[in-house]
Amino acid sequence: MAATAMIKPLTIDNLGSMLPIEQAAHAYPWSEAVLASCFGERYRVFGLFIEEEAGQSELLGYAIYQFLFEEATLMNICINPSAQGRGLGNTLLSHSMQTLVDDAAIEVVFLEVRQSNQAAIALYQKLGFSIDGERKNYYETADGRETAVLMSKRFGA
């Protein structure tokens, strides 16, 4: 039997498993304190677990959304680098956004992504996001600053 991907809500108790993934996946990772702050009232955090045959599960990624009324912003998505390229980001995003639509009546999801992250932009577009604009000099880089691409996806009518 093959490993099965599952998406589950995360709690602050999962922080210790999230931090090493964050540090491995991002050149400029969020701190433990910033990650911890995302477990407040206006946030939803989803984890992608792989359950092995023996019933053991391993956290391979997460998505953090901040929401207000009918709008959500994807604040962070992270897949362990050792598990990237297997469609897990697509699975995590699709499932977590549908859960927000179904459970929280979200009508639109916004996000920002580094202009250089063409793989992520392609994934977002594949999932129905459109490019809305950009923020110049938004992200820190080794050479200075980089533009953020602003994207959104609307649900329903």
Side-chain angles (χ1 to χ4, degrees):
M1 184 173 154
T4 304
M6 297 176 302
I7 312 296
K8 301 182 206 175
L10 296 182
T11 68
I12 192 75
D13 294 336
N14 299 108
L15 186 60
S17 298
M18 294 170 65
L19 189 58
I21 297 170
E22 176 73 17
Q23 292 169 337
H26 294 298
Y28 297 91
W30 286 7
S31 68
E32 184 174 7
V34 170
L35 283 172
S37 74
C38 294
F39 288 96
E41 183 179 331
R42 297 241 179 251
Y43 291 87
R44 295 280 297 270
V45 183
F46 298 90
L48 181 137
F49 292 85
I50 295 295
E51 186 171 331
E52 301 294 339
E53 293 177 28
Q56 298 289 340
S57 63
E58 177 185 4
L59 180 67
L60 291 183
Y62 53 87
I64 301 171
Y65 295 87
Q66 183 181 39
F67 63 95
L68 183 62
F69 303 112
E70 72 282 352
E71 298 179 355
T73 300
L74 177 64
M75 303 298 292
N76 192 344
I77 182 167
C78 195
I79 300 292
N80 191 319
S82 67
Q84 291 177 2
R86 299 181 355 205
L88 297 175
N90 185 330
T91 300
L92 176 58
L93 277 172
S94 297
H95 184 279
S96 61
M97 286 189 301
Q98 192 59 54
T99 299
L100 288 174
V101 169
D102 294 344
D103 295 353
I106 294 299
E107 296 175 8
V108 61
V109 174
F110 298 100
L111 63 84
E112 299 159 348
V113 59
R114 288 177 182 271
Q115 188 174 44
S116 64
N117 194 346
Q118 291 299 307
I121 292 170
L123 171 62
Y124 298 140
Q125 288 178 317
K126 177 181 173 185
L127 291 172
F129 281 83
S130 53
I131 296 175
D132 300 326
E134 57 184 37
R135 286 195 175 106
K136 301 272 189 207
N137 302 314
Y138 187 74
Y139 288 110
E140 184 178 350
T141 69
D143 300 329
R145 311 271 325 154
E146 175 179 4
T147 296
V149 176
L150 308 175
M151 303 181 80
S152 65
K153 177 177 179 167
R154 299 199 173 274
F155 297 87

